[in-house]
Amino acid sequence: MQTRHWDPAQVLPLIIMAVLVSSVTLEVFYLILTTTGDGQLPLLVVALYLLFNVVGNMVKFVLSNSTIKGVFLEHGSLGQGWVYCYSCQTHIPPRCHHCFNCNVCVLRRDHHCTLLGKCVGYSNYRYFFCALLSGLVALLLATILNAEIFMDLLHEGFTLHSLFLLIMPWMMFLTGQVSGSAFIVAFVADTCVVGFLFCLAFFTLHALILYRGSTTREWFGGHERDYDHGWKKNVKNFLGERWYLVWLSPWIQSRLTGDGINFEPKDLSSALSSKNVTQ
């Protein structure tokens, strides 16, 4: 029986992400449960739903396989755009690229997600994009709930002590300027704000990329319109046939169009459309 070896480069990011998600979740639930008023139950339901979506999409992302492992590549019918990967020692289709972190070629590779220790590709892009959206909303809620903490700190007076506590809680804790409880509260609150800004920036970028039917590599390489077939078809190609439902739950089935190997370029699509019109 062959022993499975876990790659630290893939496991460590997952452990760090689990710690961050757990710490933010515990603080959010604490803030909600200590809130007085009639809005406690609705906030709790919304927080649980967002947690379900964030964690669910992350799990599905990690478990999905977007690599060429187990994929039959028809070497006898190599078309335009196929190249040879010397690392994997095989021909790979268009939009497929080798990842030196994962040490394998990834179908319609977008980028390597450092936070989850895995590449974003053909099969798991939907879960990556939905995790970004759910995380954006969840961190916005967490930031709003933490607003009272920031207001209390600033209400005491805008001093260097309060400024450094907000910006560098680690430094304040290591130098003995604040207690452990104050450090934890400030650190998690900062994590919520920084995480929200991070998700906002990445979600905006990927919304634009998705609108063009492109990948990050193609976008920054000046080929963002090579596979642009209109926003609706682009979204369907990346999120599946039931793209309008995938936001609700990561367990909703949404079959992807195509096979991850053959892609129709925009020029070919335009040529076929023009030919049909003339006929």
Side-chain angles (χ1 to χ4, degrees), residues 17 23-25 64 88 97 137 174-175 200 206 214 217 254 278:
M17 181 59 67
S23 60
V24 172
T25 300
S64 298
C88 295
H97 301 282
V137 179
L174 293 175
T175 56
L200 178 61
H206 279 277
S214 177
R217 185 187 182 96
S254 182
T278 55

Side-chain angles (χ1 to χ4, degrees), residues 17-161:
M17 181 59 67
V19 171
L20 290 176
V21 171
S22 300
S23 60
V24 172
T25 300
L26 290 174
E27 197 218 21
V28 166
F29 285 164
Y30 171 78
L31 292 174
I32 292 175
L33 293 175
T34 54
T35 301
T36 57
D38 299 331
Q40 191 179 70
L41 182 59
L43 278 176
L44 189 61
V45 172
V46 171
L48 286 171
Y49 174 71
L50 290 172
L51 177 64
F52 165 79
N53 265 344
V54 170
V55 175
N57 278 300
M58 286 182 176
V59 170
K60 297 284 278 186
F61 171 84
V62 172
L63 296 180
S64 298
N65 178 35
S66 291
T67 70
I68 61 172
K69 291 181 179 179
V71 178
F72 177 66
L73 302 176
E74 301 179 15
H75 293 177
S77 59
L78 302 183
Q80 184 179 3
W82 285 68
V83 296
Y84 188 80
C85 176
Y86 289 94
S87 298
C88 295
Q89 297 184 351
T90 184
H91 286 89
I92 56 175
R95 313 184 83 180
C96 180
H97 301 282
H98 189 83
C99 175
F100 290 96
N101 292 305
C102 300
N103 196 31
V104 69
C105 285
V106 180
L107 297 173
R108 198 179 65 192
R109 182 176 182 269
D110 191 275
H111 70 282
H112 183 83
C113 181
T114 305
L115 294 177
L116 295 176
K118 195 171 184 178
C119 268
V120 181
Y122 172 75
S123 299
N124 59 10
Y125 186 89
R126 162 206 168 168
Y127 304 114
F128 169 79
F129 191 75
C130 291
L132 264 183
L133 176 61
S134 300
L136 176 66
V137 179
L139 288 168
L140 174 61
L141 174 63
T143 302
I144 293 173
L145 291 173
N146 277 289
E148 187 175 348
I149 296 175
F150 292 109
M151 295 303 295
D152 287 343
L153 287 172
L154 296 177
H155 184 70
E156 296 176 358
F158 194 75
T159 62
L160 285 177
H161 183 276

Side-chain angles (χ1 to χ4, degrees), residues 228-269:
D228 186 1
H229 301 288
W231 74 267
K232 192 170 185 179
K233 188 174 181 179
N234 293 339
V235 172
K236 187 181 292 186
N237 288 339
F238 277 79
L239 305 183
E241 294 178 345
R242 304 175 74 188
W243 58 271
Y244 46 87
L245 294 177
V246 298
W247 327 93
L248 301 177
S249 169
W251 276 271
I252 291 178
Q253 297 295 322
S254 182
R255 188 174 66 88
L256 289 169
T257 58
D259 54 7
I261 299 175
N262 301 291
F263 297 97
E264 182 182 332
K266 180 182 178 181
D267 293 340
L268 178 61
S269 177

